Amino acid sequence: RVYDVVDENASFPGGDEACTEWIRANLRYPSICIENQIHGRVIVSFVVLKNGNLSNIKIVRTPHQELSKEAMRLVGSMPKWIPAQMKGKNVNSNYNLVIRFSLP
């Protein structure tokens, strides 16, 4: 079972700021998008499993296919997350993450 509403949401180790820093350090802006001035937000949906692994990674919204590919690669290479909790137990939960691509 995968929950949408939980007692405690899943989180990146170290919290939102650590997640932002990890993305900033690991993001590879596609050169085709730089050349064509393509930027914007990619919304990625995934399930944080009760063991902290991420699965079922999908793109919800994107300005360009190449940005989608990079967002998928990025989320797929993330470290284990801290799983959501329900009544004190780890549970599977849905999560949406916004990855911002801004031109260098």
Side-chain angles (χ1 to χ4, degrees):
R1 179 167 181 190
V2 180
Y3 291 87
D4 288 318
V5 179
V6 293
D7 296 336
E8 272 186 61
N9 288 322
S11 61
F12 187 87
D16 291 343
E17 277 187 39
C19 185
T20 301
E21 284 303 313
W22 189 92
I23 290 170
R24 193 173 290 134
N26 292 281
L27 185 135
R28 293 186 223 140
Y29 211 116
S31 57
I32 187 103
C33 294
I34 293 172
E35 291 165 17
N36 292 296
Q37 299 287 299
I38 298 167
H39 57 91
R41 299 179 316 158
V42 177
I43 301 173
V44 186
S45 161
F46 52 90
V47 174
V48 180
L49 299 173
K50 54 185 163 186
N51 67 4
N53 288 328
L54 306 183
S55 74
N56 205 24
I57 303 166
K58 296 178 185 172
I59 300 298
V60 176
R61 184 173 163 196
T62 184
H64 193 274
Q65 177 183 342
E66 290 301 314
L67 296 183
S68 294
K69 285 182 190 175
E70 175 56 13
M72 293 283 286
R73 183 200 67 78
L74 203 58
V75 172
S77 66
M78 283 184 157
K80 282 189 173 189
W81 280 47
I82 299 163
Q85 295 223 322
M86 199 67 167
K87 298 179 183 170
K89 292 187 177 183
N90 290 353
V91 294
N92 301 328
S93 67
N94 287 312
Y95 197 93
N96 287 331
L97 179 69
V98 177
I99 300 176
R100 285 175 175 68
F101 286 84
S102 29
L103 292 164

